[in-house]
Amino acid sequence: MTNQSFLNPFAINEVKNILKENNIDVIIINLSRDLKIAALAAKKAGLDRVIYRRGSAIPIKNKFLNRYYFKNLVTDILANSQATKETVLVNNSNLFPREKIEVIYNGLDIEAFIQKAYTPPIYKKAEGEFVLTNLGRLENQKNQKFLLHLAKELKSRNLNFKLIIGGEGSLKNELQKLSDELNINDVVLFPGFIENPKDLMYSGDLFVLSSFWEGFGYVLAEASLCRKPIIAFDISSNPEVVKDNETGFLTPLNDVKLFADKVDFLSNNKEKTKSMGEAGFNFASTTFNSKITLAKIEEYLLK
């Protein structure tokens, strides 16, 4: 299967035959590449429903091929957040009927996550130190450069803190170079890839996210399950995962000083930090429980 497979009639028929031989009624397609061939095959096989699952809060391009597929082949769209749903039709409000776009959040196995063993700390903090953690691919979308400028601002305020940025990616060398230039190597750590998110999150007091967008912020839900308050931007799906002033704070995009104000506030209010963490745990454990999510998906598929 490649991005060009939909141009091969033999490949389309092969997928169609697989669908018919297995008596498939409903197909869920997760990648735009797969949509090109699977939707055509599903149409030929006479399936009842062709569901395109959208997992990124990025507008669908208003191209001829997309207009054809979403008008003639796709019967339903399943989005992983309200923010993802809202981006689907940004480039063409007539691309697909809005009422046929369903939102079901990604689920987490809450019990398994809570019981999973962990071995912090990634970093052993000094007395009185306030530790910020971040976890994600070191890529443009995750915008970790902002966090380095945040560290510069916090350092200028003489805050006793450390910032741990976990993950690997193409920007690692660039980020480390920027850390050198900003003279913040003494307060910023890059531990690399983190196998178990809990190892990192339980090493800190606060989780910070600087992404430009998230389809669904898994890492935010996991931070809440670790009872850590969160500071993130008031964009994309973040308001669906972080309750502003309850489980954390949401700030304007790339506003370093206001973001720093929130960090400063929590560093000086340990009780608020703890209560926000508890509120986040309660919210995430009920809203994103996979048992609830799977029941909703089952109902959605069988309706």
Side-chain angles (χ1 to χ4, degrees):
M1 299 288 286
T2 70
N3 203 38
Q4 303 298 319
S5 292
F6 76 103
L7 298 173
N8 183 347
F10 299 103
I12 295 171
N13 279 327
E14 187 173 352
V15 177
K16 179 201 74 173
N17 291 336
I18 291 171
L19 296 174
K20 289 182 72 69
E21 288 166 7
N22 289 279
N23 298 313
I24 303 301
D25 298 302
V26 178
I27 186 169
I28 304 176
I29 304 165
N30 291 283
L31 300 175
S32 58
R33 177 195 69 191
D34 296 342
L35 177 68
K36 291 178 181 178
I37 183 171
L40 288 169
K43 184 76 171 179
K44 286 177 173 288
L47 269 64
D48 297 330
R49 295 170 72 194
V50 177
I51 301 170
Y52 176 51
R53 184 181 181 279
R54 188 71 173 172
S56 293
I58 305 172
I60 294 176
K61 295 177 181 178
N62 186 28
K63 293 184 175 181
F64 168 78
L65 203 59
N66 284 337
R67 292 196 296 271
Y68 172 77
Y69 271 74
F70 286 98
K71 182 176 181 179
N72 300 285
L73 303 179
V74 176
T75 63
D76 304 86
I77 294 178
L78 178 60
N80 65 346
S81 70
Q82 196 66 37
T84 298
K85 175 179 178 176
E86 294 305 318
T87 61
V88 168
L89 304 178
V90 164
N91 291 329
N92 182 351
S93 61
N94 297 315
L95 181 71
F96 192 81
R98 182 178 293 273
E99 66 271 14
K100 291 188 176 182
I101 306 176
E102 185 85 9
V103 174
I104 301 179
Y105 290 122
N106 291 350
L108 288 166
D109 189 333
I110 305 296
E111 187 175 340
F113 185 85
I114 292 172
Q115 293 181 353
K116 186 176 182 180
Y118 61 97
T119 55
I122 297 296
Y123 166 78
K124 188 173 183 179
K125 64 180 181 179
E127 186 176 350
E129 208 168 43
F130 194 66
V131 178
L132 290 63
T133 61
N134 169 266
L135 182 62
R137 294 173 290 109
L138 305 184
E139 304 293 345
N140 284 322
Q141 177 203 342
K142 302 301 182 180
N143 190 28
Q144 285 98 345
K145 289 181 181 179
F146 170 84
L147 296 179
L148 298 184
H149 289 287
L150 171 68
K152 179 71 173 179
E153 173 66 22
L154 293 174
K155 187 176 179 180
S156 72
R157 300 184 184 195
N158 296 316
L159 187 71
N160 184 13
F161 80 101
K162 285 289 189 299
L163 168 63
I164 310 174
I165 300 176
E168 291 286 349
S170 63
L171 296 182
K172 184 173 184 178
N173 290 337
E174 190 175 336
L175 290 169
Q176 290 177 328
K177 182 180 178 182
L178 179 59
S179 181
D180 287 337
E181 293 172 355
L182 295 175
N183 191 30
I184 53 173
N185 283 334
D186 57 326
V187 293
V188 178
L189 292 82
F190 294 97
F193 178 74
I194 305 295
E195 181 71 33
N196 185 352
K198 293 176 71 172
D199 291 349
L200 177 70
M201 292 169 181
Y202 276 112
S203 298
D205 302 293
L206 167 70
F207 188 83
V208 292
L209 189 75
S210 51
S211 300
F212 287 122
W213 77 87
E214 292 285 342
F216 173 83
Y218 260 118
V219 71
L220 294 177
E222 290 176 338
S224 288
L225 290 175
C226 292
R227 291 181 165 85
K228 303 301 174 183
I230 296 164
I231 305 178
F233 297 139
D234 190 8
I235 56 171
S236 190
S237 64
N238 289 349
E240 298 174 63
V241 190
V242 180
K243 295 302 175 185
D244 192 27
N245 292 309
E246 294 179 28
T247 68
F249 293 114
L250 297 171
T251 70
L253 178 67
N254 281 348
D255 189 327
V256 172
K257 292 192 180 297
L258 187 54
F259 206 104
D261 288 344
K262 301 302 183 184
V263 175
D264 212 343
F265 170 78
L266 288 177
S267 72
N268 289 298
N269 290 271
K270 299 299 190 293
E271 286 302 315
K272 187 66 173 177
T273 298
K274 183 178 179 180
S275 65
M276 278 189 159
E278 290 295 332
F281 175 84
N282 293 332
F283 175 70
S285 59
T286 54
T287 309
F288 308 118
N289 191 318
S290 61
K291 292 180 180 179
I292 298 172
T293 298
L294 290 173
K296 288 182 179 179
I297 292 174
E298 183 178 13
E299 181 184 4
Y300 171 73
L301 294 178
L302 294 177
K303 73 179 181 180

